[in-house]
Amino acid sequence: MYKLRTRQGRTADTTKNCPLQNPKTMRAFLLFLAVALSAAAAELEDSCLACMCYVSSNGCVMPDGVCRTTTWSEVCGPWAVTKPYWEDAHKPGGEFYTCMADWDCNEQTVRAYLDRYVENPFANCETYARTHYGGPWGMNEDYATDYWLLVKDCLDNGLFTPPPNVE
């Protein structure tokens, strides 16, 4: 509680007329705030996801053999997902290699991973791309910047093609 001095020299209790002192008003305000913040939540746009796929697999294609070994890890599927990435996404599909061979499960993995690690309600494609490639702790590394610039080029030049609809 704060005391303010009025022009007449008297003190005024600042909590006396505060509408948030009323529990009903406070609950209504908190509900409004929660709704407003959830409405402002960022959403991963399809074009961003498609360009991440395009860059990760040289054209957003399911690689022959589904997985390939790079200098740093085995990556699988059109988004070049690693097993730890899939595990961080809460293991959609139940089995890693089965999931990686399935377009929908690949996309579900990427979306779940980014939902877990991108907490900024105002995130944009750059944040999603950097987090996808660099992880939550490597998104500011040079390699994540290089990846983002490729994704940005894809977005700027309309290079992506949406993944095929697999029935």
Side-chain angles (χ1 to χ4, degrees):
M1 174 168 47
Y2 297 96
K3 300 277 184 183
L4 294 178
R5 192 160 298 280
T6 65
R7 287 185 187 181
Q8 291 82 18
R10 294 183 291 229
T11 59
D13 181 352
T14 59
T15 61
K16 195 176 209 180
N17 296 320
C18 178
L20 295 180
Q21 287 295 103
N22 179 326
K24 285 184 179 180
T25 306
M26 178 60 90
R27 279 193 296 274
F29 173 75
L30 291 175
L31 178 63
F32 170 78
L33 187 59
V35 169
L37 288 176
S38 68
E43 184 177 322
L44 176 59
E45 294 180 11
D46 289 342
S47 59
C48 181
L49 189 65
C51 278
M52 288 167 36
C53 181
Y54 180 88
V55 170
S56 297
S57 61
N58 297 313
C60 199
V61 296
M62 183 66 76
D64 291 333
V66 181
C67 297
R68 63 183 169 23
T69 302
T70 66
T71 56
W72 55 274
S73 183
E74 177 183 50
V75 295
C76 303
W79 281 276
V81 171
T82 64
K83 190 168 185 178
Y85 183 112
W86 172 78
E87 290 168 346
D88 281 355
H90 306 293
K91 303 178 183 180
E95 201 280 316
F96 178 66
Y97 293 105
T98 302
C99 179
M100 292 302 101
D102 179 79
W103 276 98
D104 290 336
C105 196
N106 261 265
E107 182 177 339
Q108 184 182 0
T109 299
V110 174
R111 287 184 182 278
Y113 181 89
L114 295 174
D115 281 348
R116 177 176 182 178
Y117 288 115
V118 176
E119 297 176 340
N120 180 347
F122 306 105
N124 57 17
C125 186
E126 181 176 0
T127 302
Y128 285 111
R130 287 173 168 276
T131 304
H132 170 67
Y133 199 74
W137 300 280
M139 65 179 294
N140 294 317
E141 298 295 330
D142 289 343
Y143 55 85
T145 299
D146 294 342
Y147 180 80
W148 159 242
L149 292 174
L150 293 171
V151 171
K152 183 178 183 316
D153 184 55
C154 172
L155 289 167
D156 290 347
N157 295 301
L159 302 176
F160 68 90
T161 53
N165 288 332
V166 180
E167 299 294 321

